[in-house]
Amino acid sequence: MRKRSVETKAAHAGARFPVSPATYPTAMPIYQTSVFTFPDLQTAEAFNRGEPVYQYSRTGHPNGDALAAVYADLEGGEAGLAAASGMGAIFAVLFSLLGPGAHAVVSRETYGTSYASLEQDFRPWGVRVTYVDANDPVAVEAAIEAETRLLYVETLANPTLKVAPLPRLGALCRRRDVLLVVDNTFATPAICRPLEHGADLVLSSATKFLGGHSDLMAGVAAGRANLIERAKAVLARTGATVDPFAAWLTLRGIKTLPLRMARQSANAARLAAFLRSHSGVERVYYPDGDPLLPDGAGAMLAFAVRGGLAEANAVIEALELAAFVPSLGDVTTTVSHPVLTSHKHFAPGARAALGITDSLIRVNAGVESAEEIIADFAQALEKRGGSAPTSEA
Ligand SMILES: Cc1ncc(COP(=O)(O)O)c(C=O)c1O
């Protein structure tokens, strides 16, 4: 071994540390490196020929590729990609399929930031968008034009939990030569796999149930390999590649996804049944019994408290277990208020037409004891005569 100075030793700390070749790590290591060292010029040539050689982490790294492959496998897709957030995945997919002069048909009940991106990024670029009721296939078909490239829907609408009729939409899209792209964030592949029902691409915010613990931001997409390759190229150019640690955390979360979804679905179903029987509740939105969801209807539900904003606020304030969190997918039970959070940019008339009223509370049922979740909502509903909020949360 050559004798090295302290400066040289320090600068090369940890590089080429010999790892035992006889065993391999049980948990995937985190490849916290921005770049990979090439042993020779032949390896650089192999990379340039498109061979699977890691070069620079924005274009791909083992943790991101493992997450992409696992998500593709869970959804039943040929290939997958992993992005820095759900929006990163959505933008890359839409950008790779649309362009000036193109037309998209999009569900009226699409996540607010997806809608904002279509209106503020895609429309000024020359993309036309028609919004439809995804549960009305006749209206969907009527909206399709010669330039229509894709139909974009969510498996479960936010916050009304309407189930998109995926088999009918898939058949319609095949007949009209339009791609069906589905946001599966609320359902997850543990509950519904849209590619099995005719979708060409499926995507999810991994920030929610795939991660499951509110401690990461990531997004994923899966489907036909040629479509995923195009979206992956956009990701690499726009720099929205997932971070190695976020990908690692997501994979860790995915290990328990089916267990969490089974438990959270069962808890959501029990909470929905309780709320349906409560005199202080006007309406409950939960898709149990839908033929597209034979393994449980997921963790998300919503209910309208009898009354208005003051009554909804009193219930949210009185909840002890369920925190007011403007997100979803956690292992703990959380609530959100669509009018003041996710749907604040919608015109009041458009919101009301979708059933999104001041008294509506959205719930992410967690993994806690079902009896204790129900008891929490029972005691909170008793206090629903409270005061109106003083400021917009
Ligand atoms: C249905 C849906 N899709 C996509 C997103 C965006 O995901 P992210 O926040 O990870 O960018 C969200 C976030 O709330 C969502 O609810």
Side-chain angles (χ1 to χ4, degrees):
M1 269 272 267
R2 239 183 258 282
K3 201 163 159 34
R4 302 285 192 199
S5 67
V6 69
E7 290 84 356
T8 304
K9 285 184 203 169
H12 289 259
R16 301 189 195 207
F17 184 77
V19 176
S20 146
T23 57
Y24 58 90
T26 305
M28 187 177 188
I30 304 172
Y31 288 82
Q32 192 63 40
T33 184
S34 53
V35 65
F36 292 79
T37 303
F38 284 58
D40 49 37
L41 296 182
Q42 286 90 312
T43 312
E45 280 169 348
F47 173 80
N48 293 340
R49 280 196 302 274
E51 288 180 25
V53 172
Y54 288 113
Q55 183 228 28
Y56 189 59
S57 288
R58 177 161 46 70
T59 60
H61 53 77
N63 298 106
D65 284 358
L67 171 57
V70 166
Y71 182 67
D73 201 23
L74 292 176
E75 292 281 13
E78 275 174 16
L81 62 78
S85 68
M87 283 316 303
I90 290 167
F91 189 88
V93 164
L94 293 180
F95 193 88
S96 69
L97 299 176
L98 298 171
H103 177 248
V105 179
V106 176
S107 165
R108 194 173 284 152
E109 293 183 72
T110 294
Y111 171 61
T113 309
S114 306
Y115 169 77
S117 185
L118 286 162
E119 290 301 306
Q120 289 161 39
D121 304 321
F122 286 88
R123 206 182 277 283
W125 186 41
V127 175
R128 286 176 309 107
V129 185
T130 303
Y131 297 98
V132 292
D133 176 356
N135 288 77
D136 181 351
V138 175
V140 172
E141 176 138 36
I144 293 176
E145 305 173 7
E147 294 79 25
T148 307
R149 303 263 171 86
L150 60 92
L151 168 64
Y152 186 89
V153 304
E154 299 184 2
T155 313
L156 300 176
N158 175 21
T160 53
L161 285 313
K162 270 188 234 151
V163 185
L166 295 179
R168 279 194 71 181
L169 297 177
L172 163 63
C173 285
R174 260 194 309 283
R175 186 155 43 76
R176 298 295 302 270
D177 199 18
V178 165
L179 294 170
L180 176 58
V181 181
V182 180
D183 182 334
N184 200 32
T185 301
F186 273 40
T188 83
I191 293 291
C192 181
R193 290 170 294 282
L195 297 176
E196 292 175 3
H197 301 292
D200 297 285
L201 284 171
V202 61
L203 51 86
S204 290
S205 165
T207 314
K208 316 298 185 189
F209 294 105
L210 298 179
H213 299 77
S214 304
D215 53 10
L216 65 92
M217 299 285 314
V220 280
R224 292 218 312 264
N226 62 330
L227 299 177
I228 288 292
E229 276 317 308
R230 283 165 62 180
K232 259 175 94 168
V234 174
L235 265 190
R237 287 195 296 270
T238 53
T241 311
V242 70
D243 171 77
F245 186 47
W248 184 89
L249 276 175
T250 308
L251 281 168
R252 181 179 158 115
I254 283 175
K255 287 173 192 277
T256 56
L257 174 73
L259 295 174
R260 286 185 281 110
M261 290 312 290
R263 169 81 175 191
Q264 292 183 242
S265 282
N267 283 354
R270 287 189 57 185
L271 180 60
F274 164 75
L275 293 170
R276 282 179 185 130
S277 72
H278 198 287
S279 61
V281 173
E282 202 167 279
R283 185 158 176 194
V284 177
Y285 300 85
Y286 187 61
D288 39 354
D290 191 286
L292 211 58
L293 311 171
D295 301 324
M300 301 304 296
L301 64 144
F303 66 101
V305 179
R306 218 171 273 290
L309 195 63
E311 286 74 14
N313 186 52
V315 171
I316 288 173
E317 264 187 2
L319 285 166
E320 291 168 7
L321 266 186
F324 173 22
V325 173
S327 185
L328 61 135
D330 198 78
V331 285
T332 63
T333 301
T334 61
V335 295
S336 181
H337 187 265
V339 165
L340 289 186
T341 62
S342 52
H343 291 69
K344 63 174 179 255
H345 300 302
F346 280 59
R351 263 196 321 242
L354 297 173
I356 305 167
T357 59
D358 284 352
S359 69
L360 193 71
I361 297 175
R362 192 186 75 185
V363 185
N364 165 73
V367 300
E368 304 97 329
S369 132
E371 288 73 22
E372 288 171 37
I373 296 172
I374 290 168
D376 195 28
F377 282 81
Q379 64 82 24
L381 279 163
E382 294 318 311
K383 300 183 181 130
R384 75 177 198 286
S387 58
T390 49
S391 64
E392 284 213 350

